[in-house]
Each structure stands twice: as structure tokens, then as C-alpha cells.
């Protein structure tokens, strides 16, 4: 018998709940058949009213309880339903839950009719006027609604393992694993057997057995075992272990749980963050859990994909799950890939009345209890994001977190300095940098206690919203601001690190964003396509080669046709620049003004190379002066030249008797990119003597659509699967066409369907879509058509690896 049954399929759904749904003879033909995760309302990409997803909706499902469940316990878990839920079984209320971001488990045994069909109904209230966090103030993100995570039923014996909290100690010669086990009831004589394996190994090694004594009650004394040669968990080597706990009576295994954990020590000290006693500078981004069209409702693969993007594409070592606990799938992946997590309770600036606060304290409890085995979590956020001080309230949240997990630090994000610090870490949103001001505040200017750690929980964001289709210099400024703050934070030895705002653009309420219900604060767009700023982060990792240029090299994009600053972003050893195939200059990291980044942006200051010395009949000093003046003119234009360049010009006229006409000819020959033969630029990134990446910038003569899915082999496990497709318009050299906003038509064949509209458009040369499996297996096609390119087809396969789903009819 399977002990966990996923209830993600075969729900009937209505946008307007009615008590009649509780009746056994309710006519459900008017309900829409849906699968979980489900959003109560699909939304347009932007320009929609947040009221469209605010409603009291109803979910109804017939749950057939087989005979074999007789005498067993049935525990129903809803992993996430936004925002208030009431659960009914066979017309009776089982319970309610008042947080849209934590899971809840209800014992439905008593009302369950074994051997019969049962009517399970969930009433979900997604209105934003609820008296629970995060509501009370208009928040800067949409809050969506529906049963947007999975639902499952655990069938247990009368006695079962209710909770296991695993922690490790790596300080001794042998590492230790300790578990705090809670049974649902006291069970004398029960044997608790624990065994361990490293993730990836077949066999478990038995650690030991413990016999429950009468007096222990439901809480078992801590069980501690030593483990020889345990491989530590860290960012580079995220070694995971699985602890199997079984409860046994008369040789029969009554229950079993497997907890995934890692051996590691995470510590915030006054001067920063230490992982396994080594100082690690946190370099992270904030992540919301939203997606286009379906809000919060995305399955496992999409949750994991975001973690992969953060770690593997953006190269960050940490994420803040702003502003609420997020999917366990996301956290599982963070555990697996070594991505540090700062997670926090739901909330945004507003602190409500006593009832509201009691719920917030409850949320701390649920968050810590539900997430504390995730090795990647290094910090609990126990304040309402950016709220004012409230010592009485925050004493309660801190105490709750510390009692349930004495081994992890607490933080709590504030936007004000010198605030009352009840937490272990001062976590502060530092929006000091405005492009000109310094990158970040000093710790001593912000914190109220220098003896505790200090962390920047946000920067940038609303300080410089940036769209994919903004003009080039805007996109560059966005990227440079991220570089400026990262560099400044890296320079401050006693700042534990920073989290940029934010990973991707997100739908938001009317009071925020650009008026179209989007905050364009991301280093990626909503489809997770990178903006230039994404490369600032990507450059700091070493695994994937990065080479990008802040400019398309089209001078007409700039005021007065003056290029302004052009930067190379790379993590290579050097970059060679060629103009019309002529070598101009090789840049290395030493050319970057960023001293505290491993691979900071490098300014292009030469468009000429040695062409003037070689081709023109000038004295060396004269050639040198001309080159300097021409390169400056390329960047600044004639009217904005630095004073030093005027001095050079005067020198040229006085000493070398040059005439203005001569300067114009030289300008046209070496700098002006128009009129004559078109100019090409080529850049080669060199690592260990080899060209690892190349860019060619040359006028495009053809364009092509490029589409890539995050995975092509879709599998239905506990529910449907989704693939993310990123779409970009490229020229023949692979450069993104930043001003291509053309239409896209999407069509499918086979057992997949499109999430969102089938007619869409690229924005700034990029966009995307999502495809979803339908409960059937087979081969499938996604066709992408535009008015200007050949059609592109992506091939997918869909497999079903779950019997329950196989029997499910769409
Ligand atoms: C912060 C807030 C975030 C987001 C950000 C935009 O104040 O905590 O949720 O609104 O500003 O920059």
C-alpha cells in the first residue's frame, strides 16, 4: 500500500464558493475540472486589475477511500493555498488555515468514510482585505489565489512519526547527527530505528535503535549518532544525506520518514557569515515566487528551475525568498545545488492588530517547523519586511524561532537605521545608491549593535526600473548600479553580504511599478530572460563563460551619435577586440575600475589600436595625441569633451600645425561608423590561452527566432509538468535584437497545452511561454511563428510515471 497519495488531479473548481458544494448530491457539472497547482484566476501578462483574482472560490473532489484504509489515520496536507482556507469533508468542517504561504495538515480520519466516496471541499479566500499577513497595506507584489501548491493524503498507522528535526555538529573529530523526534502519541516499547545514507548511495547504514520508554510521552529524547568521515555540505560541494527513521513494533514497520539534511555549520559573526568556519561573502538576489499568467501556481520543475537559474546562470550563492516561505521544491533544489537561503514570514511594511500579530507569530512557528531541515536555510526572517519597530511583537517572533530552532540565526528586514535589534543579524534594505552616491552604507552607520552581524537584504530595485526594451544607456546604467553596489559591499569587510532587488520582474499592485502592474526591477524579465544586469552577477562565477557587451555598437542609438561608455562584461582572462578584423586592444581584468569584484565591467577606451601610427604619417607623440582625442570624441562627442582633450587639440594645432579639416577626415576614417563600408566589431574572450566565447557586431541582414526549453522530456509525477520556453530574436551573429517587439503565434500538437495566450509578442527582443502536460503521454510539438522568420518547432516527450495519473481523465 502506498502511504502518500497525491490529490492533485480531478478537482472541480468554481470562482464562487457556495455551501451547497458540501452536499453529497451537489450537481458538479458546472464546476471546471482542474489540476493542482492551480491559480484561482489566470491573468494577462500585464495591464490587469488585481481585483480579478480576489474572490472566495471553491474546490471539490470525490475522494474514494479504499477498504485498506480502515483503522488507519488519514492526514490531509495542503502545501499552499492563498490566502485563507476552510476544509470540509462530507459536509463537516475539518479545520481552517490563515496563511497563504505555509502548509497545513489536518487529521481527517474521523469524518472519512472508508469503502465509500467522500466529498472533500476546500473554500479558498483570496481577497486582500483579510486580517492576516501580508495584508493591511497595499503590498508591492500581487498575492494571487487558489490552491497553488500540491495536496496529499498520508495514510498512517495509529502511531506515526509526526515530526523530525535533524541537526548536525561538525566540530568534533567525528560529525554528529542529532534528531528530535515527535510521535503523534506516546508509545511504550516502540522501537525507533535510524539509518543513514549519503544521497546517491543505494544502501542505508543502520545508526542504531532506541526503545521508547513509558515516561517519555510523545517527544522522544534527542537521538544522537556519530558519523565517520561525513562529507560536509557547502556551496561548492552540496553533499546531502538521508536519515531514515522507522518506528517498529513486533517486527512490523509502522511508519517511516526520510529526512534530507547536510552536515554543515552556518554562523553569523560580527564580521560576516561563516560556513563551516570559512568566511563566505553572501552574494544573492531576492526572489518572488510568481510567474506570468498563473501567478504562484507552478509545479516542481519550475520551482527547481528558478533555483538553477540563480545558482548556475546568475552565479549567485544565495537567495532571499522575499517576502514569504516558498515552495519546498525550490528549497529542495537549493539544498541540492548549494544555494544559501534567507527565508522569512509573510508581510510587507504593515503590522496589524493583536489577531493579525498572533497569526504572524503562528507563521513563524509554521515556517520554522516546516522548513528547518533544509540545510540551505541559514537565516530566519522574523520581522515583517520593512516594518517599524515593535519590541513586544518581535520578542514573540524571535522567541518562537529560537525555541523551535536554537541553531539558526534570526534576522528581520528593516528599512530604517539604528532600529531596535532583537534579532541575531541586522538585515537592512540599503537603497543609498542612486548611480552617483556610494554603493552602500557602512555597517556602523546603520546597525545598532556592532557586535552582531550585518547583512544588506535589498538594494537597487525601485531605484532604477529597467525594461528589456529600454534604450541601451538605460540598460547599461541598470547593470552598472548592480556592479557598484556589489563592489562596495564586497569592499566592506564587516558586511556579511547582500541581496539585490531582484531576480526577475514581477506583477504588482497599482501603487507600484510602471503603471502596467509590473515592477521592472529584475535583472531578468518575467520569463527569466537575462537583462544586461544579469551578466554582472554571472561574471562572478567561473563555470559558464560569460562575454557580453553593453552596446550593439550602433552609434545612432546614442544622443548626438556619441557612444557614451561601452563596457565588456566577462569572466575570461582577457578579451581581444577587433574592428573590421583588425586587432585593436586586449583587455584584462586589470582594466576594470572595480577592485572588489572578481570580474568587474571593463570600459572600452580604444576604437583605433595602432592604426594611426601604422597608417598615417605622424610623429609618435602626435599619433598618440590624435588617438586620445579621437577616442574621447567617440565616447563624449565634440561638445562634451574633457578639458584635457582641448589641450591636446591645441597642442596638435600649435606644435604640429594640424587643421580642423584634417581632424574631421581622421574622425571619419577611424571613429565615425557611417557612410562608408559598414564596420564590424569582434570580441574574443580568452581563457587559459583559448578563445572560449566570441561576439560579432555587424549590421544584421537576417533575423532568426531562437527558442529554448528548460527541459524537453516532461514527466507527470505527482501532477502535471511544465516547461519554460525562453524566446529571443537574434541576428545572424547571435546578437539579441533589443528593439524587436513583434508578434509571436504559438501552436501545439500532441499532449501539451500552452499556459497563457497563444498570440503574444516579444519585448525587447525576448519573451517566452510555458507549456503544460495534459495527463496523457506521447510526443508533442510547440510551433513558434513570427511574421519575419521561419517557423521554429520544439519537440517534447511526455511520460507518465504515476499510476494514479494514468487513470486520471482530463
Ligand atoms: C523594498 C521592498 C520590496 C520592493 C523593493 C523595490 O522596499 O522591500 O518588496 O518593493 O523595495 O525596490
Amino acid at each position: 500500500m502506498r502511504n502518500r497519495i497525491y490529490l492533485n488531479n480531478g478537482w472541480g473548481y468554481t470562482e464562487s464558493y457556495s455551501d451547497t458544494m458540501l452536499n453529497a448530491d451537489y450537481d458538479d457539472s458546472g464546476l471546471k475540472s482542474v489540476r493542482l497547482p492551480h491559480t484561482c484566476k489566470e491573468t494577462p501578462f500585464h495591464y490587469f486589475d488585481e481585483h480579478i483574482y480576489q474572490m472566495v472560490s471553491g474546490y471539490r473532489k470525490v475522494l474514494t477511500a479504499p477498504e485498506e484504509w480502515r483503522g488507519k489515520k488519514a492526514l490531509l496536507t495542503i502545501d499552499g493555498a492563498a490566502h485563507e482556507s476552510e476544509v470540509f469533508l462530507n459536509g463537516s468542517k475539518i479545520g481552517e488555515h490563515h496563511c497563504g504561504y505555509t502548509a497545513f495538515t489536518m487529521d481527517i480520519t474521523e469524518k472519512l468514510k472508508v469503502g465509500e466516496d467522500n466529498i472533500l471541499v476546500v473554500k479558498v479566500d483570496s481577497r486582500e482585505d483579510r486580517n492576516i499577513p501580508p495584508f493591511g497595506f497595499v503590498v508591492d507584489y500581487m498575492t494571487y489565489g487558489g490552491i497553488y501548491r500540491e495536496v496529499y493524503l498520508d495514510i498512517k498507522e495509529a502511531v506515526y512519526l509526526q515530526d523530525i528535526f535533524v541537526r548536525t555538529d561538525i566540530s568534533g573529530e567525528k560529525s554528529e547527527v542529532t534528531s528530535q523526534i515527535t510521535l503523534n502519541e506516546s508509545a511504550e516499547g516502540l522501537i525507533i530505528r535510524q539509518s543513514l545514507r549519503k544521497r546517491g548511495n543505494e544502501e542505508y547504514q543502520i545508526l542504531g535503535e532506541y526503545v521508547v520508554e513509558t515516561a517519555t510521552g510523545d517527544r522522544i529524547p534527542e537521538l544522537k549518532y556519530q558519523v565517520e568521515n561525513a562529507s560536509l555540505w557547502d556551496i561548492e560541494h552540496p553533499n546531502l544525506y538521508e536519515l531514515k527513521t522507522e518506528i517498529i513494533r513486533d517486527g512490523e514497520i509502522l511508519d517511516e520518514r526520510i529526512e534530507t539534511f547536510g552536515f554543515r555549520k552556518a554562523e553569523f559573526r560580527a564580521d560576516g557569515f561563516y560556513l563551516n568556519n570559512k568566511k563566505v561573502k553572501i552574494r544573492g538576489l531576492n526572489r518572488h515566487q510568481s510567474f506570468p499568467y498563473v501567478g504562484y501556481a507552478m509545479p516542481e520543475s519550475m520551482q527547481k528551475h528558478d533555483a538553477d537559474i540563480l545558482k548556475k546562470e546568475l552565479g549567485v550563492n544565495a537567495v532571499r525568498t522575499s517576502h514569504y516561505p516558498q515552495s519546498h521544491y525550490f528549497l529542495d533544489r537549493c539544498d541540492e545545488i548549494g544555494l544559501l537561503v534567507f527565508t522569512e514570514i509573510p508581510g510587507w511594511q504593515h503590522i496589524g492588530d493583536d489577531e493579525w500579530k498572533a497569526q504572524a507569530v503562528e507563521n513563524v512557528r509554521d515556517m520554522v517547523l516546516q522548513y528547518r531541515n533544509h540545510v540551505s536555510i541559514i537565516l530566519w526572517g522574523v520581522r515583517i519586511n520593512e516594518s517599524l519597530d515593535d519590541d513586544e511583537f518581535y520578542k514573540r517572533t524571535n522567541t518562537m524561532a529560537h525555541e523551535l530552532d536554537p541553531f539558526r540565526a534570526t534576522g528581520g528586514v528593516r528599512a530604517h537605521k539604528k532600529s531596535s535589534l532583537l534579532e541575531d543579524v541586522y538585515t537592512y534594505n540599503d537603497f543609498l545608491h542612486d548611480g552617483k552616491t556610494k554603493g552602500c552604507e557602512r555597517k556602523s552607520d546603520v546597525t545598532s549593535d556592532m557586535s552582531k552581524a550585518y547583512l544588506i537584504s535589498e538594494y537597487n530595485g525601485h531605484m532604477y526600473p529597467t525594461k528589456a526594451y529600454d534604450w541601451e544607456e538605460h540598460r547599461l546604467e541598470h547593470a552598472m548600479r548592480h556592479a557598484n553596489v556589489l563592489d562596495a559591499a564586497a569592499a566592506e569587510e564587516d558586511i556579511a553580504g547582500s541581496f539585490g532587488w531582484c531576480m526577475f520582474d514581477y506583477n504588482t499592485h497599482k501603487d507600484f511599478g510602471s503603471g502596467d502592474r509590473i515592477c521592472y526591477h529584475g535583472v531578468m524579465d518575467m520569463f527569466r530572460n537575462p537583462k544586461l544586469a544579469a551578466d554582472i552577477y554571472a561574471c562572478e562565477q567561473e563555470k559558464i563563460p560569460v562575454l557580453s557587451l553593453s552596446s550593439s555598437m550602433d552609434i545612432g542609438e546614442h544622443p548626438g551619435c556619441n557612444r557614451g561608455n561601452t563596457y565588456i562584461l566577462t569572466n575570461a582572462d582577457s578579451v581581444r577586440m577587433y574592428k573590421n578584423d583588425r586587432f585593436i586592444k586586449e583587455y584584462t581584468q586589470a582594466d576594470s575600475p572595480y577592485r572588489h569584484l572578481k570580474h568587474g565591467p571593463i570600459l572600452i577606451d580604444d576604437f583605433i589600436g595602432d592604426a594611426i601610427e601604422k597608417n598615417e604619417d605622424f610623429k609618435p607623440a602626435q599619433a598618440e595625441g590624435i588617438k586620445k582625442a579621437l577616442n574621447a570624441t567617440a565616447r563624449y562627442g565634440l561638445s562634451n569633451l574633457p578639458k584635457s582633450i582641448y589641450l591636446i587639440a591645441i597642442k596638435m594645432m600649435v606644435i604640429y600645425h594640424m587643421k580642423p579639416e584634417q581632424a574631421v577626415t581622421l574622425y571619419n576614417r577611424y571613429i565615425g561608423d557611417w557612410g562608408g563600408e559598414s564596420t564590424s566589431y569582434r570580441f574574443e574572450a580568452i581563457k587559459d590561452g583559448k578563445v572560449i566565447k566570441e561576439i560579432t557586431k555587424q549590421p544584421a541582414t537576417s533575423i532568426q527566432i531562437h527558442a529554448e526549453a528548460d527541459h524537453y522530456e516532461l514527466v507527470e509525477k505527482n501532477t502535471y509538468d511544465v516547461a519554460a520556453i525562453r524566446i529571443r530574436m537574434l541576428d545572424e551573429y547571435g546578437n539579441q535584437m533589443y528593439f524587436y517587439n513583434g508578434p509571436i503565434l504559438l501552436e501545439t500538437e500532441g499532449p501539451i497545452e500552452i499556459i497563457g495566450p497563444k498570440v503574444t509578442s516579444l519585448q525587447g527582443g525576448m519573451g517566452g511561454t510555458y507549456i503544460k502536460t495534459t495527463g496523457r503521454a506521447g510526443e508533442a510539438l510547440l510551433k513558434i511563428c513570427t511574421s519575419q522568420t521561419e517557423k521554429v518547432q520544439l519537440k517534447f516527450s511526455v511520460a507518465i510515471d504515476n499510476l494514479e495519473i494514468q487513470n486520471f481523465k482530463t
Side-chain angles (χ1 to χ4, degrees), residues 584-596:
I584 303 286
K585 181 169 175 178
E586 181 158 0
Y587 292 91
T588 66
Q589 201 45 52
D591 295 310
S592 171
Y594 291 87
R595 290 285 155 259
H596 306 281

Side-chain angles (χ1 to χ4, degrees), residues 293-467:
Y293 318 127
V294 290
Y296 289 165
M298 276 293 196
E300 175 177 358
S301 56
M302 291 299 94
Q303 305 295 338
K304 295 190 164 174
H305 183 42
D306 268 2
D308 283 339
I309 292 174
L310 282 160
K311 173 88 194 228
K312 296 176 184 169
E313 289 183 27
L314 297 168
V316 297
N317 60 20
V319 58
R320 171 172 170 231
T321 67
S322 45
H323 298 298
Y324 36 75
Q326 301 186 356
S327 162
H328 280 285
Y329 289 126
F330 178 75
L331 273 298
D332 287 346
R333 196 72 186 134
C334 295
D335 294 343
E336 283 165 14
I337 60 180
L339 186 63
L340 306 169
V341 181
F342 171 15
T343 193
E344 66 191 3
I345 50 169
W348 205 82
Q349 294 187 350
H350 167 81
I351 299 177
D353 61 14
D354 287 350
E355 203 185 321
W356 192 101
K357 287 185 194 173
Q359 183 60 45
V361 176
E362 187 67 17
N363 293 347
V364 175
R365 182 178 173 278
D366 285 346
M367 171 179 77
V368 176
L369 283 177
Q370 292 170 18
Y371 290 82
R372 59 188 178 171
N373 285 342
H374 283 289
V375 60
S376 54
I377 295 178
I378 55 166
L379 189 60
W380 298 120
V382 301
R383 281 176 71 117
I384 300 304
N385 173 63
E386 292 193 333
S387 57
L388 296 177
D389 290 341
D390 184 334
D391 282 5
E392 182 274 332
F393 174 39
Y394 289 134
K395 261 184 208 144
R396 287 162 64 201
T397 59
N398 272 284
T399 305
M400 179 63 85
H402 283 136
E403 270 177 10
L404 296 174
D405 182 0
F407 314 102
R408 268 192 193 88
T410 59
V413 171
R414 60 268 279 159
H416 60 292
K417 298 179 183 181
K418 308 285 173 189
S419 111
S420 174
L421 181 57
L422 301 169
E423 295 75 35
D424 306 311
V425 183
Y426 199 107
T427 42
Y428 176 68
N429 288 351
D430 181 342
F431 292 111
L432 174 70
H433 186 57
D434 70 358
K436 295 189 182 68
T437 37
K438 64 179 181 161
C440 66
E441 301 270 11
R442 285 206 318 254
K443 174 183 177 183
S444 55
D445 291 334
V446 181
T447 188
S448 31
D449 184 348
M450 285 298 279
S451 71
K452 291 183 175 179
Y454 174 71
L455 180 64
I456 300 173
S457 33
E458 290 179 33
Y459 57 87
N460 285 352
H462 65 281
M463 298 301 288
Y464 208 71
T466 300
K467 302 173 188 75

Side-chain angles (χ1 to χ4, degrees), residues 1-14:
M1 185 178 100
R2 280 200 308 124
N3 297 330
R4 175 162 293 182
I5 295 106
Y6 283 90
L7 305 180
N8 295 325
N9 299 312
W11 288 87
Y13 171 71
T14 169

Side-chain angles (χ1 to χ4, degrees), residues 94-112:
I94 303 288
E96 49 189 58
H97 186 69
H98 302 277
C99 176
Y101 300 95
T102 49
F104 50 102
T105 298
M106 289 171 183
D107 187 338
I108 62 168
T109 317
E110 234 172 79
K111 298 284 173 216
L112 190 72

Side-chain angles (χ1 to χ4, degrees), residues 15 61 189 233 301 405 580 656:
E15 286 187 12
K61 183 177 169 62
W233 182 94
S301 56
D405 182 0
N580 293 336
Y656 303 109

